[in-house]
Amino acid sequence: MISQLSWKVGGQQGEGIESTGEIFAAAMNHLGYYLYGYRHFSSRIKGGHTNNKIRVSTRPVRSLQDDLDILVAFDQETIDVNFDELHDDGIVIADAKFKPVIPEGSNATLYAVPFTEIARELGSSLMKNMVAIGASGAILDLDAKEYYTIVSQTFGRKGDKVVENNMKAIEKGAAFVQSQSQGQPSKLKLMPADGRKRMFLIGNDAISLGLLAGGCRFMAAYPITPASEIMEFMIKHLPDYGGTVIQTEDEMAAATMAIGSNYAGVRAVTASAGPGLSLMMESIGLAGMTETPLVVIDTQRGGPSTGLPTKQEQSDLMAMIYGTHGEIPKIVIAPSTVEEGFYDAVEALNLAEEYQCPVILLSDLQLSLGKQTIDTLDYDQIEIRRGDLNLEPDLPELKKGEYFKRYKITDSGISPRLVPGTKNGIFHVTGVEHDETGKPSEKAPNRKKQMEKRLRKLQDLPNKFPSPVALNLQHKNPDLLFVGYVSTRGAIEETIERLEQEGLKVNHAQIRLIHPFPTEEVKPLIEEAKQVIVVEHNATAQLANIIKMNAGYGDKISSILKYDGTPFLPGEIYEKCMQEVVVYGNG
Amino acid sequence: MATVKDFRNNVKPNWCPGCGDFSVQASIQRACASLGLEPDDLALISGIGCSGRISGYVNAYGFHGTHGRVLPIAQGVKMANKDLTVIAAGGDGDGLAIGMGHTIHAIRRNIDITYIIMDNQIYGLTKGQTSPRSESGFVTKSTPEGSIEPSVNLMEMALSSGATFVAQSFSSDIKDLTSIIEQGVKHKGFSLINVFSPCVTYNKVNTYDWFKENLVKLSSIEDYDPSDRGMAMKTLMEHDSLVTGLIYQDTVRKSYQEMVKGYKEEPLKDAELNMDREKFNELVQQFI
């Protein structure tokens, strides 16, 4: 029996490939397996090859598997494009309708199952997906009945007959494969799982849940891949909390509308990807200069320009740290797991109000859209902190011409905050340099004081931020330290398991607080490692450069980079380590 | 109750002597006092340019934003606190060049704020370049041969974009302007007010005298009915949009906020931020 399985379904976009994967995954989740799913898709509504790769495991997984055990194909292109990924003795299940062929001389087994024909006999060719699911189940030696719960959940609304027909499609798909395999025991029988059903969600869902639980009550956003799910989730749920979402005319409106709302006392956010973030930069500068809280979620995708809109990349890093003109206080945090996406979204809202500045929550396409099981999200960890905001102050009447000192110079740099509508609290807000009351002032001593006040705010953040680096420090003086951020965590963790089997001592640091950089935390890790490899999805080693700039040790740090749009596989990092980077030595 | 004086903050504007914007400032102060507002209840959001400074010249919660983004900021403020009176103000460059996208969509969206465009048909603060409201043939530093682009027909555009309140006034007619602003603030929805506010330094064509000669008061047109959109459009066309007064008002259509699902009577800023455990578990269950 096997402890994990890699399964992929592929076909033309718009053909129900995604839902085929969803139903297969849901059934596996029902049995208590851990799952990790990743969709390959293109920027079009219909047509073009798409696939959904799902890893099934008896233990938690945060990365795709290197290869493939089962490939379900709805067209020949799926076989042609994905066959290289298949195990030598892997299995292809394909619709007999297109007369599938696999490369000559291959050890793989092909089951040409009449998906479409069986589905038509049952009344609708739409059910070919269910036939494929049933066929997959037979390979795993799974009883077709195991699908019943999920089928009735999915189709129950459409009536018993539809549920019954879909179950029949599954059973017939399974029966066909069983008849072909002539009673041979399955090589791909999975070890039983713990039977516990888990949350199965994409990173964007976790981030959205965090926003909602963290008190976000307004969102302004413009649709973009791979961020739109956040807006859609909030549109669905915010009205239950009195809040709302406005789909704006562009990202500049989205960011500034969120700024207006935050200024007036509502926790407001926007979410986008690279192109949208580029348009928001001036507004982010406004939030920094006016010390207005603002949370912006950047779900990174392939750049530059329109780039690879549906593909994985981590190339916005430098732009998120430095991408506004002038110098502002700004916080950039990067969740490295789906769970952290949830907690960090809550925290981003807190930090924005506590430090009165823009906070960028940096995700990437793989984390945002990768769908995985998680054990739990902890309600008790949700905490709402609003810093120096006073919503009901008892203020003395202002003298004629006097304003409240909204930008009062303080030791921490953080000033008392009121919202418009507060009695006796009038102050001015401007992106022009201003004095303590917010009135424009270009005087040199004032400029210096206000500039220093703003930048002083974040000085202590690296010490206060909970776990600025997600650490796995098994070893003292390791041979190797891996550093990454966001979704590379899973692939790095699995690479480490393999390297450790070869006797290497490997530590791992996934950077979570990107800016201000947690130098004090990271520097000693680099110091004690013999070699440091930074793994990231971009072509110019942006994270490595940030680390070198802050912590030094340039000669110790090398990079494994990927920028072809596909996520790192554990085997890939391992191979590169062996070939190119690691200098072996016993010392 | 607050008086006009209470809306003054003793800050000396950096506008040129004779600038039309002084009258806009005075009219906002008079209208707010006359409406019985308190300075604490007013948020005045402004854009960038000479006119953009206005939020610093009225005793109220002022927000001087970025160039062209006055409307999204103002809409965000109003969404957060519907009890505030939100007035947005900026120049014709701010609202009709760099911010045009927001202007059309704010008109369409119909959130209950008032937008005052201080229209001087020139870029003043950058010292005299053509604006989207400059007339064709207008000679500026950036159009030495005369502008070859026609000006934006703001009033017709507003009508065709679904505006529910469209008015135009002239800064030397403080009485009319004050009255228009009052009506705009009272209007339940987005109110657009264009104010001809001459730049005495850089616009030597569209001067006070020029406007006095060319503007027609709608009150002088017999049987003019501002609830008749067709008549409004026809009148604008007949007079090349050089009219003042309330051009069009739709009192039937509800404002954006009145139509938003789940939007409550209490301002959003007072909404509960904590989610109870039961609700949280319900949400979590949706993913299992």
Side-chain angles (χ1 to χ4, degrees), chain B residues 14-16 19 21 48-52 67 91-94 118-132 134 138 140-142 197-203:
Chain B
N14 59 5
W15 296 321
C16 306
C19 174
D21 293 352
I48 298 293
C50 293
S51 56
H67 197 22
D92 47 311
D94 195 83
M118 295 143 91
D119 179 6
N120 59 9
Q121 297 161 273
I122 187 91
Y123 279 65
L125 196 59
T126 49
K127 304 197 188 308
Q129 296 84 14
T130 187
S131 101
S134 298
F138 192 60
T140 68
K141 281 182 187 157
S142 59
S197 178
C199 175
V200 292
T201 306
Y202 291 109
N203 192 337

Side-chain angles (χ1 to χ4, degrees), chain A residues 288-424:
Chain A
M289 182 58 153
T290 60
E291 306 194 44
T292 309
L294 173 69
V295 173
V296 181
I297 296 138
D298 177 20
T299 57
Q300 299 175 91
R301 66 184 210 186
S305 188
T306 307
L308 296 169
T310 61
K311 304 288 184 284
Q312 162 69 356
E313 203 164 278
Q314 303 178 322
S315 52
D316 295 353
L317 186 75
M318 288 286 189
M320 292 310 107
I321 301 173
Y322 299 111
T324 190
H325 62 277
E327 296 153 310
I328 56 161
K330 187 204 284 167
I331 299 169
V332 183
I333 58 178
S336 66
T337 63
V338 166
E339 293 92 329
E340 284 175 9
F342 171 79
Y343 299 116
D344 286 2
V346 180
E347 194 57 16
L349 291 160
N350 287 332
L351 294 173
E353 289 210 305
E354 284 183 310
Y355 290 90
Q356 302 175 13
C357 72
V359 178
I360 294 177
L361 181 72
L362 199 52
S363 178
D364 60 22
L365 186 136
Q366 189 185 350
L367 180 68
S368 276
L369 299 187
K371 192 164 183 176
Q372 67 178 86
T373 46
I374 59 168
D375 279 315
T376 184
L377 293 176
D378 183 5
Y379 175 81
D380 293 316
Q381 277 192 49
I382 304 166
E383 180 191 27
I384 290 173
R385 308 187 308 268
R386 306 198 73 180
D388 288 347
L389 171 65
N390 196 340
L391 285 170
E392 280 163 7
D394 191 12
L395 300 169
E397 202 171 318
L398 290 165
K399 286 196 200 107
K400 183 80 188 163
E402 220 178 54
Y403 275 3
F404 175 78
K405 287 190 175 174
R406 168 69 184 92
Y407 301 103
K408 194 177 169 184
I409 302 289
T410 60
D411 289 343
S412 66
I414 298 165
S415 314
R417 181 173 156 234
L418 309 174
V419 299
T422 306
K423 189 143 183 61
N424 299 321

Side-chain angles (χ1 to χ4, degrees), chain A residues 392-457:
Chain A
E392 280 163 7
D394 191 12
L395 300 169
E397 202 171 318
L398 290 165
K399 286 196 200 107
K400 183 80 188 163
E402 220 178 54
Y403 275 3
F404 175 78
K405 287 190 175 174
R406 168 69 184 92
Y407 301 103
K408 194 177 169 184
I409 302 289
T410 60
D411 289 343
S412 66
I414 298 165
S415 314
R417 181 173 156 234
L418 309 174
V419 299
T422 306
K423 189 143 183 61
N424 299 321
I426 285 180
F427 60 90
H428 190 55
V429 175
T430 174
V432 173
E433 188 57 275
H434 42 265
D435 65 15
E436 289 185 301
T437 65
K439 288 181 183 164
S441 167
E442 294 183 339
K443 290 188 184 115
N446 174 73
R447 158 67 172 186
K448 194 162 174 291
K449 271 191 206 160
Q450 284 292 333
M451 196 69 191
E452 287 166 358
K453 161 202 149 41
R454 287 190 293 269
L455 297 177
R456 188 159 68 230
K457 292 196 289 190

Side-chain angles (χ1 to χ4, degrees), chain A residues 200 205 217 241-242 246 249-250 252 256-257 261 379-380 384 400 403 421-422 424-426 428-431, chain B residues 5 8-9 40 55 59-62 64 69 72 76-77 102 105 109 256 260 268 272-273 275 277 279 287:
Chain A
F200 183 46
D205 291 331
R217 293 295 173 262
Y241 302 85
I246 290 184
E249 52 275 18
D250 57 40
M252 294 174 287
T256 44
M257 213 179 267
S261 196
Y379 175 81
D380 293 316
I384 290 173
K400 183 80 188 163
Y403 275 3
T422 306
N424 299 321
I426 285 180
H428 190 55
V429 175
T430 174
Chain B
K5 275 187 185 167
R8 295 185 186 142
N9 67 357
D40 295 332
S55 60
N59 190 46
Y61 282 96
H64 179 222
R69 316 298 160 223
V77 172
H102 309 311
H105 292 284
R109 200 171 280 131
Y256 184 91
V260 170
L268 188 50
E272 177 60 48
L273 299 192
M275 183 185 286
R277 191 183 293 268
K279 192 81 197 163
F287 292 99

